């Protein structure tokens, strides 16, 4: 009995394809299935869609600015200068389902990632600082945590600015109308500064006040 070679097997497959074909379209599909080599595992992997889980992980990674922050923040240890920032972004990542956390994360991402005129960025930064104090009031509950974190966050945000700079006023206890502006709900008769609700903004070269810090008294 004569042994069939690879060519004989291919011929038999082609004949079977013609037999099964009912029209030209089916024939074309059958021939294509037989003659086009299957994708190699590496090619198939390259064409495979990215999993939803991977996309979600990447999005969350960016949402908490893990790709923007340097190792001095991400790897800070207790007692090191940047450690309060590490705690802030850790708390932010752990509370993203909370509206105040998501709003702050979104604001920080827009601030650090989007290109815009510095005047616009300054105005945005003020609102980001408002979101920060709102978040801090419920998530940075350790004594002194907000006061330690605020100047570090202001300095981090200043890396995006040239003509102006942000400052925190958390360590100030007395209302000063040249630096502060009361929130509508503040006690207009009190000179005791209870807490700030935004950063102060100064002109970088002259240190003149550009935007006063909003505060509660």
């Amino acid at each position: 009995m004569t042994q069939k070679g690879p060519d004989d097997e291919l011929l038999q497959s082609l004949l079977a394809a013609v037999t099964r074909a009912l029209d030209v379209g089916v024939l074309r599909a059958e021939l294509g299935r037989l003659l086009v080599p299957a994708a190699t595992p590496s090619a198939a992997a390259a064409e495979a869609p990215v999993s939803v889980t991977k996309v979600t992980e990447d999005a969350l990674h960016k949402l908490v600015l893990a790709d923007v922050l340097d190792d001095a923040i991400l790897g800070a240890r207790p007692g090191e200068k940047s450690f309060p920032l590490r705690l802030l972004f850790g708390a932010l990542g752990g509370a993203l389902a909370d509206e105040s956390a998501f709003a702050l994360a979104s604001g920080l991402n827009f601030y650090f990632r989007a290109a815009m005129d510095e005047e616009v960025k300054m105005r945005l930064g003020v609102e980001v600082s408002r979101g920060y104090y709102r978040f801090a009031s419920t998530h940075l509950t350790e004594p002194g945590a907000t006061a330690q974190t605020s100047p570090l966050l202001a300095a981090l945000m200043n890396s995006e600015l040239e003509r102006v700079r942000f400052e925190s006023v958390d360590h100030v206890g007395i209302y000063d109308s040249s630096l502060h502006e009361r929130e509508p709900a503040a006690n207009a008769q009190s000179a005791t500064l209870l807490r700030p609700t935004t950063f102060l903004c100064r002109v970088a070269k002259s240190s003149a006040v550009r935007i006063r810090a909003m505060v509660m008294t």
Side-chain angles (χ1 to χ4, degrees):
M1 183 175 180
T2 305
Q3 185 176 3
K4 292 184 179 181
D7 292 341
D8 293 324
E9 293 179 357
L10 177 60
L11 178 60
Q12 292 299 322
S13 296
L14 289 172
L15 291 174
V18 173
T19 302
R20 292 194 300 272
L22 299 178
D23 57 31
V24 175
V26 175
L27 177 59
R28 186 181 296 112
E30 290 284 350
L31 290 175
R33 182 180 64 81
L34 287 167
L35 298 178
V36 176
T40 61
S42 59
E47 296 176 359
V50 179
S51 69
V52 175
T53 300
K54 182 64 166 61
V55 171
T56 302
E57 289 177 354
D58 290 346
L60 291 175
H61 187 76
K62 288 188 173 183
L63 193 56
V64 295
L65 299 176
D67 62 324
V68 172
L69 304 174
D70 60 30
D71 291 338
I73 296 173
L74 296 176
R77 298 175 177 274
E80 294 182 346
K81 181 180 178 180
S82 298
F83 188 66
L85 278 180
R86 180 182 177 182
L87 293 181
L88 168 63
F89 286 102
L92 190 62
L96 283 176
D98 180 80
E99 186 169 340
S100 67
F102 188 79
L104 175 57
S106 299
L108 284 168
N109 270 273
F110 193 51
Y111 181 87
F112 282 103
R113 297 184 191 279
M116 66 190 80
D117 181 81
E118 184 160 310
E119 177 74 16
V120 177
K121 179 153 286 196
M122 175 192 68
R123 299 286 177 180
L124 172 61
V126 171
E127 293 309 311
V128 168
S129 72
R130 183 183 297 277
Y132 156 70
Y133 281 112
R134 186 179 298 116
F135 172 80
S137 67
T138 55
H139 292 88
L140 299 183
T141 56
E142 291 295 323
T146 301
Q148 292 174 11
T149 306
S150 299
L152 299 177
L153 180 61
L156 182 65
M157 293 172 65
N158 287 342
S159 65
E160 295 288 307
L161 303 170
E162 293 181 2
R163 298 187 298 272
V164 296
R165 70 174 189 268
F166 293 120
E167 292 180 7
S168 66
V169 296
D170 296 68
H171 300 86
V172 179
I174 302 297
Y175 177 81
D176 182 342
S177 60
S178 67
L179 302 176
H180 312 135
E181 183 174 345
R182 289 184 176 91
E183 290 281 2
N187 181 355
Q189 309 305 317
S190 175
T192 302
L193 199 158
L194 300 177
R195 58 183 176 84
T197 57
T198 70
F199 287 156
L200 171 72
C201 183
R202 293 184 185 272
V203 177
K205 287 186 177 180
S206 65
S207 293
V209 174
R210 182 70 173 76
I211 300 178
R212 291 178 292 177
M214 300 298 294
V215 298
M216 290 296 294
T217 55

